[in-house]
Amino acid sequence: MVSSNDVQRLFLQAVFSRSILSYQHALLLWGKCIDAVKAADPSLDIRSSDDRAQWNIFVTGINQSLDSLDLEFRHLHDETDGREMYCLVNRRGDEVAQLATDYTAVEIAYFKAIIEQIMLAPHEAYSVSSFTALREVNSLKTNMSKTQAEVVLGSFVAKGWLLKSKRGRYSLSTRTLLEMLNYLKQTYPEECLECTICMEMVTKGIACTRPNCKTRLHDHCFNTFRRHNSKCPTCSQDWPQKDDGLVPVGEGAAKDGQDEGRRARRKSTAEDSDEDEPDMQMDEDEPSQPAATQSKTRGRKKKVVESDDDEDDEVTPQKSQPDGRRRSGRAR
């Protein structure tokens, strides 16, 4: 027997067949589902409406039905144009389980490696070059070739998991932010920035020009805010009169060549080995010692060890850093 609940069932079936859809698209699907149920039983009193309150009630009902499955019909604004987007997501946030049906374990590991480089990109660039993305294959214990990696990268872009710009840089898509928000916040809590206006995650936008100010805004939030306010909402710094004076967040903050020879790593924990610490902590802007200098330094240390056998307490600290490099508290 047909009932009003069939509207929700038809709508969810339509959503399952789509990866992500806009608010306007979702409203259109909702209306089509109502029309289909009414056609099956004209006696049913089901009203469609463009009213936002009615839509919110409908979405709340959907999420109540999905609650036992740990799924959620979640929305987020597109960082580029501000459109409200909807997607069915795994609420438990168990890493990248959403990709498991489409990709192999190796491809999922590759995707996670690229995400790590995007999230840890310096200068809040939140993007990586094609060279860096392909180089991540080397970090995996697999025989995937770079040619195969190029194909997989193309698939990530085609299926909406990554965005690729005209500069050839990869960044996070709205779909990835929606479906992997819990994973990103749990794995990279310090790198997850929130828009001061809408409180959603920011990987593309602008920052306040005053050093140490925490204001970050999406471009669409900034454009709306600046129509009525000429100062930063946090520190009251005047906004630049021209857009070219703004501090970018996202690809605009990426410097040419900043990815070359650099591989970002998450900060070590107490259980991590010392061998990983230099990669995690060395600042990319801090010049390293020339090879000749390092050779001389090692030579001097060797002489100290050979001549001062009875002064182990003084020699031991030098042994712990074989290249004589100064350790920094910042990530590469």
Side-chain angles (χ1 to χ4, degrees):
M1 178 182 294
V2 179
S3 69
S4 58
N5 291 333
D6 288 324
V7 174
Q8 186 181 103
R9 178 174 59 83
L10 289 176
F11 183 82
L12 284 174
Q13 288 177 345
V15 170
F16 278 126
S17 64
R18 294 164 173 82
S19 58
I20 188 170
L21 62 161
S22 67
Y23 171 62
Q24 294 300 327
H25 191 182
L27 285 182
L28 180 62
L29 284 178
W30 182 31
K32 295 291 185 181
C33 293
I34 291 175
D35 292 341
V37 173
K38 282 185 175 180
D41 187 351
S43 65
L44 292 174
D45 183 18
I46 307 174
R47 300 176 183 178
S48 60
S49 174
D50 292 338
D51 180 63
R52 184 59 188 243
Q54 292 298 319
W55 167 252
N56 289 340
I57 292 173
F58 179 65
V59 172
T60 299
I62 288 176
N63 284 328
Q64 288 175 347
S65 300
L66 295 172
D67 185 66
S68 60
L69 301 176
D70 289 317
L71 298 176
E72 179 183 355
F73 188 53
R74 183 181 294 170
H75 74 279
L76 187 72
H77 289 87
D78 186 280
E79 292 191 281
T80 303
D81 55 26
R83 288 187 304 159
E84 187 175 2
M85 307 298 292
Y86 282 82
C87 186
L88 197 63
V89 304
N90 184 340
R91 195 180 63 221
R92 297 183 65 179
D94 50 352
E95 300 189 356
V96 287
Q98 297 87 352
L99 296 175
T101 56
D102 294 330
Y103 295 102
T104 66
V106 171
E107 291 168 341
I108 292 174
Y110 182 39
F111 183 71
K112 289 174 62 179
I114 294 174
I115 284 183
E116 179 159 286
Q117 298 309 302
I118 290 175
M119 292 302 297
L120 300 181
H123 315 300
E124 297 179 355
Y126 292 106
S127 61
V128 294
S129 65
S130 298
F131 170 80
T132 299
L134 289 174
R135 188 182 60 195
E136 282 305 296
V137 173
N138 300 329
S139 68
L140 307 176
K141 296 180 180 179
T142 177
N143 57 357
M144 179 189 290
S145 67
K146 289 191 176 181
T147 300
Q148 293 172 322
E150 287 178 341
V151 174
V152 175
L153 279 171
S155 175
F156 291 154
V157 174
K159 294 185 178 182
W161 293 108
L162 293 176
L163 299 177
K164 187 177 182 180
S165 69
K166 294 180 179 179
R167 291 175 61 187
R169 297 187 67 85
Y170 293 94
S171 59
L172 302 182
S173 67
T174 302
R175 181 182 183 184
T176 296
L177 290 175
L178 265 169
E179 298 209 27
M180 300 185 64
L181 185 62
N182 292 339
Y183 170 76
L184 294 174
K185 288 185 174 181
Q186 292 172 7
T187 310
Y188 308 101
E190 296 180 4
E191 287 74 27
C192 288
L193 304 177
E194 288 187 347
C195 174
T196 305
I197 301 301
C198 71
M199 305 305 292
E200 292 179 356
M201 187 171 170
V202 178
T203 64
K204 302 176 183 69
I206 64 102
C208 179
T209 56
R210 175 170 288 178
N212 301 323
C213 180
K214 302 300 183 182
T215 293
R216 302 293 184 272
L217 303 174
H218 296 113
D219 288 328
H220 59 89
C221 289
F222 171 71
N223 292 332
T224 301
F225 182 80
R226 190 167 60 168
R227 294 192 193 107
H228 309 287
N229 300 273
S230 61
K231 298 180 182 295
C232 170
T234 303
C235 69
S236 298
Q237 172 85 353
D238 289 329
W239 294 116
Q241 295 299 315
K242 298 182 179 180
D243 288 347
D244 57 7
L246 299 173
V247 178
V249 173
E251 184 177 336
K255 300 177 182 178
D256 291 336
Q258 73 176 20
D259 299 331
E260 296 181 8
R262 169 190 173 276
R263 185 172 189 274
R265 302 284 294 278
R266 274 181 290 174
K267 291 182 180 179
S268 62
T269 61
E271 292 78 13
D272 288 334
S273 65
D274 290 339
E275 293 179 357
D276 290 335
E277 289 183 5
D279 285 338
M280 299 176 197
Q281 298 179 341
M282 184 66 69
D283 189 337
E284 69 154 346
D285 295 326
E286 181 181 60
S288 60
Q289 288 183 329
T293 304
Q294 292 180 349
S295 177
K296 292 179 180 178
T297 303
R298 287 193 294 267
R300 287 197 298 268
K301 289 183 179 180
K302 184 176 181 181
K303 291 179 180 179
V304 171
V305 173
E306 291 175 349
S307 60
D308 296 337
D309 292 336
D310 57 342
E311 297 181 2
D312 290 340
D313 292 339
E314 296 181 6
V315 175
T316 300
Q318 296 177 1
K319 287 183 179 179
S320 63
Q321 298 182 30
D323 292 330
R325 293 182 292 183
R326 179 173 64 87
R327 297 198 175 190
S328 167
R330 297 175 54 190
R332 273 189 178 182

